[in-house]
Amino acid sequence: MVRLIDLSVPTGPNAGEATPVQIDTLTHEQGPAVLGLETSDFPDGMAISSETITLTTHTGTHMDAPLHYGPHSGGEPARSIDKVPLEWCIGPGVRLDVRHIKPGEEIGEDDVTEALGVAGHTLGDGDIVLLWTGADRLWGSTEYLTTYPGLSGGATRFLVERGVRVIGIDAWGLDRPMASMIEDYRRTGDRETLWPAHVYGREREYLQLEKLANLGQLPGPTGFTVLCFPIPVVNAGAGWTRVVAVTGRFLESDE
């Protein structure tokens, strides 16, 4: 039996968003006037509705493309979200349990290796790695913006060099919270403390999924397929994405 697990958060006004989201609704009752008609011209006096939304491409569950990290990746022009290969957006899912790592701390290469060992999984080409921090429990609160761990540059390199093209996290961002990184930079003067996971994407292409949810509903560390197709916003560094995990016979051959 096929089961679909929604790994996305809703898109709309929410305290867990760093930038405001505005939704202006053209109601059914207002519709006739916009069309130059009268309410009496429509059944029940109502036309069709519409919404105008003001938001960023990083609102809600979304995918970051290489262009978000910098203008070049691997010495070539970085791909925008509308240029991301669809083949990269479907693959075997691997959930790595890193819930023991405290907010503000790094998820390092050793942490990733340990989580893979617990999962009993060896990474393969096209695996989609999902970091399970548990931070999605804070979605809807301002704590969500600041209370989560983040992936280190070295751990990002480790994953991408093993064929991973998509890395996701159930938190506001893949790197540590901004305040943690900036505090370390001001204390040490080390520029490598600033957005190391993102900046690594200037070396090799990979995609980030941020603001995932419901990773605890997955059947286990493996045994599911992830579908994560972004909206192809032209020349943008990110796009809104409905991320879904599929379990069951979907995984089997059609032979």
Side-chain angles (χ1 to χ4, degrees):
M1 178 179 178
V2 172
R3 181 186 175 205
L4 304 179
I5 304 169
D6 192 353
L7 305 182
S8 311
V9 298
T11 299
N14 190 292
E17 298 287 4
T19 53
V21 179
Q22 181 175 332
I23 302 178
D24 298 312
T25 301
L26 176 69
T27 67
H28 298 95
E29 293 80 6
Q30 294 168 333
V34 171
L35 299 170
L37 299 171
E38 302 293 334
T39 55
S40 58
D41 294 323
F42 285 88
D44 301 320
M46 294 184 288
I48 53 179
S49 65
S50 180
E51 294 79 33
T52 300
I53 306 176
T54 304
L55 74 173
T56 77
T57 52
H58 298 267
T59 298
T61 303
H62 63 277
M63 176 182 286
D64 287 346
L67 181 61
H68 176 53
Y69 319 138
H72 294 89
S73 182
E76 299 291 333
R79 300 190 211 217
S80 54
I81 197 68
D82 55 312
K83 299 297 193 303
V84 167
L86 293 180
E87 292 79 9
W88 291 11
C89 303
I90 180 171
V94 183
R95 183 187 67 187
L96 300 184
D97 189 349
V98 291
R99 289 175 294 167
H100 60 285
I101 299 178
K102 296 178 181 179
E105 294 185 352
E106 277 193 336
I107 303 167
E109 182 177 336
D110 289 346
D111 300 310
V112 169
T113 301
E114 179 182 352
L116 283 167
V118 172
H121 183 75
T122 299
L123 290 172
D125 189 51
D127 280 354
I128 295 178
V129 170
L130 309 178
L131 300 173
W132 186 19
T133 72
D136 65 323
R137 73 188 185 283
L138 300 173
W139 172 249
S141 72
T142 55
E143 289 181 89
Y144 181 77
L145 302 170
T146 60
T147 311
Y148 58 92
L151 195 64
S152 72
T156 306
R157 181 190 303 276
F158 175 86
L159 292 171
V160 175
E161 287 183 348
R162 283 155 181 78
V164 175
R165 297 188 183 94
V166 182
I167 305 171
I169 193 168
D170 60 348
W172 188 82
L174 187 63
D175 279 289
R176 295 186 300 148
M178 286 187 284
S180 298
M181 292 187 289
I182 292 172
E183 179 182 350
D184 284 352
Y185 171 67
R186 287 176 173 163
R187 176 173 51 83
T188 66
D190 184 359
R191 291 183 296 179
E192 292 187 4
T193 62
L194 298 175
W195 284 268
H198 281 71
V199 172
Y200 172 74
R202 299 177 185 179
E203 296 183 32
R204 291 186 64 171
E205 288 187 312
Y206 83 101
L207 310 170
Q208 296 178 12
L209 292 172
E210 296 177 325
K211 301 181 189 174
L212 296 175
N214 303 322
L215 298 188
Q217 295 185 22
L218 294 169
T222 57
F224 57 94
T225 297
V226 175
L227 294 82
C228 51
F229 299 106
I231 299 298
V233 185
V234 176
N235 296 327
W240 312 286
T241 307
R242 189 68 175 267
V243 184
V244 177
V246 186
T247 67
R249 292 187 61 188
F250 178 86
L251 300 172
E252 298 177 4
S253 170
D254 293 330
E255 295 178 0

